[in-house]
Amino acid sequence: MRRALLCNLVAAACVMLGAHGALAENRIALVIGQSAYRTVTPLPNPANDAKAIAQLLGDAGFEVQSVSDLTQNALRDAVGAFAATLATKGPDTVALVFYAGHGLQIDGENYLVPVDIDPKRETDIPLQAVRLNDVLNTLTAVPSKSRIILLDACRNNPFPDINKTAGRGLALVDARIGAAGTLLSFSTSPGAAAEDGNGGNSPYTTALLIAGREPGLPIEEALKRVRLSVNHATEGRQTPWESSSLVDDFSLFGAAAGAAKISVARRSVEQWRQELKGKPVEAANDLIVSDGSDEAYEAFVGLYAQPPFSQQAREWLDRHRRMVAWNNAVIANSAAGYREFLKLFPDSDLTVTARKLEDRLRNRPDPLGAASSAPAQPTNVALAAPTCPCGAPKKADLPPKKRAETDPPKRVTDRSPPRRMRAPDDEEDIVIVRRPPPPYDGPMPGLSVGGAIGGGYGGTGRGHGSPGRGRY
């Protein structure tokens, strides 16, 4: 009796210490639940999911802004207001966004779907939905310690007019290429669909509610548990996926918040073979699902042939490689890039989109291709500024040409030191280096959220029909 009472007191103390640690740093969260869609069948679980996650985050010391059933304008306003709150909290703030509802990928871009959307064709989606990249750009534009985005948004495309041509699930987004301190978690792997669930919550949210309360468990370790739990609950049909550039360990409860992040070296395929060899297939499958790397899956499919695990692992690996190739093609955004994707994957759910984008870009000059064939500029040489026109020699004073007009000009590199502008005595000299402007790459998209400039974060950064690209 006394032992049980003591254990309860210790557990209560751990929770209180975890909450105290949470309050020691600024934590704010935006929780969005989209259930009451007007033109398609409503989703029963997102409202429940959002309510449960808001409770979890409140218990973890977050200042929670909860919103639900938002139209396009209301969704944009909510993100903008959240970013404004984040800006007032300071750079040591942890920002978390949870979204439950429909999500779509169109032309390699991911979109969050408002409840008032009514698309008749693919071109309506960028006009009526909210681009995920705009949400990410809005958050990363504000200094903060960490940004955690949890997306339970990979359900089946509900719009019959476009679901035969749009890609399945959501496109891959690599947080490591964006701003450091970002974690993106998806309820299933790229290119796959998530289940809404038969209970009061989705499988993803159900697992997150359990793993998230583990005291001191870093968020990335918690998401590994979520991945395995969802995989078991759906009998392998759904496996969550995440990408992280976090530089500090963070946990919802406990002492891991603010601790230095421990880097773990990624294992090679051969190392995974040695790790898995001789293990029962169920145990080996659990290991690779928890890890979530293509190296682990590749080692598994080479060692095990037992159904259904071998088939599920092979499907995951094939789909992941296809989505990585698709992400590369979308980033390059050139006709050659889409042709290469079609050569590798001639018959997939992305074939129609790849052909459409290839046709759109077929007659467009490829600046990347031209640049790649040109000699590399020396990295330690500053290019000189153009000569002032007032000092240019007259045409009559020029010497006769000794080369044919068709001969290519020689590349001239000015190796003179860079020009310096004298600063005040108490400051260092400022070096002005003039470089040629980059080739024009098309207009940037007009859609933006909360003042964020449209640009690519793990995606193209394109508005629909625009040939321009954003950069990571």
Side-chain angles (χ1 to χ4, degrees), residues 331-374:
I331 292 171
N333 194 33
S334 66
Y338 292 119
R339 280 196 298 271
E340 181 64 23
F341 175 83
L342 289 169
K343 184 189 301 182
L344 295 172
F345 304 97
D347 186 18
S348 74
D349 60 314
L350 296 166
T351 297
V352 174
T353 301
R355 287 174 177 166
K356 175 186 65 178
L357 295 176
E358 180 200 359
D359 289 341
R360 184 185 299 170
L361 298 170
R362 181 168 295 168
N363 296 321
R364 173 191 172 199
D366 186 359
L368 292 180
S372 63
S373 61

Side-chain angles (χ1 to χ4, degrees), residues 37 166 192 218 329 332 384 430 463:
Y37 286 95
I430 301 173

